[in-house]
Amino acid sequence: MILNDVWFVAIAILWIGYFLLEGFDFGVGILLPVLARDDTERRVMINTIGPLWDGNEVWLITAAGATFAAFPEWYASLFSGFYIPMLVILVALILRGLGFEYRAKHDSVLWRRRWDAALIAGSAVPAFLWGLVVANVVRGVPLGPGHHYVGTVWELLHPYALLGGFMTFAIFVTHGAVFIALKTKGSLRVRANRLAAGAGVGAAVLAVGFLAWTHFQKASPVGGVLAALAVLAWLLGLAANARRAEGWAFTGSATTIVLAVASLFVALYPDVLPSTVNPAYSLTVENASATQKTLGVMTWVAVIFLPLVLLYQSWTYWVFRRRIGVSDIPAG
């Protein structure tokens, strides 16, 4: 039973890491047509995440793989019930990756605009749908006696889930704007800083509404405290952004994402996928988990290899830490 809980926490950390790191990636992609005034500035924005985005997506692959191995029942019910939104997210992420790789392959304005559109859509769609998926997981879905999803895709589009989607979209936009302000210089930095201030207020309203709704339904004292701290961190981040202290502003938005997602997992526990049909049909950390032997082997693998992955990714961020601007982009 202890290993079940350990792997629930581990999977929560993996999803937190994914939303934290991929969140600003999505934000940068969404803001490409908003902040950039020409192709050179678009290239500046893309280069802020160019060395990082594919490494950030490893967190998603690892989170999905760990869920499959540690909680196969959870994985099966989750990916069958959310088949359509997950498929749309996958297609969007593929288009986004192609946009990064192919926009510079041909010297044509039309060519670049088309791949930019793929990059923008590939960022915006997951930014919304991940919030919708997470909201449904926390609230619960129609699970039958065999833990099978017995609803339709339309049952995923209720007000609480839509609010979750709009919240993650707004938070990622703000997180991305703060990241651009942190990583660029000149007029692009100034515009990103200003946009983060306005977007941050809207995101705060949505986040307060969503988190309050969540913890009113779940009545989780610890989750409620984490949610309140997340809101406080967001406000402190906005205050730092107003002073153009981009490092502290990014710390604030990053801390908010960590605390907010953690509060949702705390509210979810001990369930991993509640049933809205009958609580007895819910998947929990106990009835959805793999065998203790499997969890034990996974634990040793994680202990050995996870530090190496974290060290490598930290080194990558350190190497590409400096600001860039229009003057750093070669012609062409």
Side-chain angles (χ1 to χ4, degrees):
M1 184 60 181
I2 293 176
L3 285 179
N4 299 19
D5 295 332
V6 167
W7 274 98
F8 178 81
V9 173
I11 287 170
I13 292 172
L14 289 171
W15 283 109
I16 289 170
Y18 174 66
F19 289 131
L20 167 63
L21 299 176
E22 193 83 305
F24 66 75
D25 279 359
F26 289 149
V28 172
I30 294 168
L31 293 173
L32 203 59
V34 179
L35 288 177
R37 292 180 174 173
D38 53 35
D39 185 66
T40 303
E41 288 193 342
R42 284 193 288 275
R43 291 169 65 193
V44 170
M45 292 176 63
I46 291 171
N47 275 284
T48 62
I49 58 174
L52 309 173
W53 70 270
D54 49 355
N56 293 343
E57 287 196 349
V58 171
W59 287 79
L60 171 61
I61 297 169
T62 307
T67 304
F68 171 76
F71 298 99
E73 286 274 1
W74 186 12
Y75 181 92
S77 297
L78 183 65
F79 281 81
S80 60
F82 295 87
Y83 179 80
I84 292 179
M86 289 294 192
L87 179 61
V88 173
I89 289 173
L90 178 61
V91 172
L93 292 177
I94 291 171
L95 287 175
R96 180 169 171 267
L98 291 173
F100 280 119
E101 298 295 337
Y102 280 91
R103 77 176 304 275
K105 297 294 185 182
H106 185 57
D107 188 16
S108 164
V109 174
L110 181 59
W111 173 270
R112 289 184 176 180
R113 283 180 180 174
R114 287 174 175 171
W115 286 116
D116 284 346
L119 202 159
I120 295 162
S123 301
V125 171
F128 175 80
L129 287 181
W130 277 127
L132 184 141
V133 168
V134 170
N136 274 290
V137 170
V138 174
R139 175 181 178 268
V141 294
L143 292 180
H147 306 307
H148 300 301
Y149 184 79
V150 294
T152 66
V153 67
W154 305 112
E155 293 181 61
L156 303 176
L157 304 177
H158 47 84
Y160 175 73
L162 294 174
L163 177 59
F166 287 122
M167 179 198 69
T168 53
F169 185 91
I171 285 179
F172 291 162
V173 165
T174 308
H175 196 39
V178 171
F179 181 78
I180 294 168
L182 175 66
K183 293 289 291 178
T184 61
K185 51 192 176 184
S187 60
L188 184 57
R189 174 189 178 188
V190 174
R191 293 197 299 274
N193 180 272
R194 290 174 180 169
L195 189 144
V201 173
V205 173
L206 293 170
V208 169
F210 179 79
L211 294 174
W213 192 344
T214 299
H215 296 287
F216 177 77
Q217 293 181 114
K218 294 292 182 178
S220 169
V222 176
V225 170
L226 291 174
L229 290 175
V231 173
L232 176 61
W234 190 259
L235 296 177
L236 292 174
L238 290 181
N241 182 74
R243 300 193 308 272
R244 295 192 66 180
E246 286 96 351
W248 286 110
F250 185 78
T251 300
S253 63
T255 303
T256 296
I257 292 173
V258 170
L259 292 173
V261 179
S263 77
L264 296 177
F265 273 94
V266 169
L268 180 62
Y269 182 85
D271 292 331
V272 293
L273 191 60
S275 172
T276 56
V277 176
N278 187 331
Y281 302 155
S282 297
L283 286 169
T284 68
V285 293
E286 185 174 1
N287 65 22
S289 72
T291 64
Q292 292 296 300
K293 184 175 182 179
T294 299
L295 296 178
V297 172
M298 289 176 61
T299 301
W300 280 111
V301 172
V303 167
I304 294 170
F305 290 104
L306 183 59
L308 299 177
V309 174
L310 292 176
L311 283 172
Y312 175 76
Q313 192 162 27
S314 299
W315 175 79
T316 303
Y317 274 81
W318 175 255
V319 169
F320 296 101
R321 67 189 181 278
R322 75 179 186 90
R323 294 179 183 270
I324 60 174
V326 172
S327 59
D328 299 303
I329 303 298

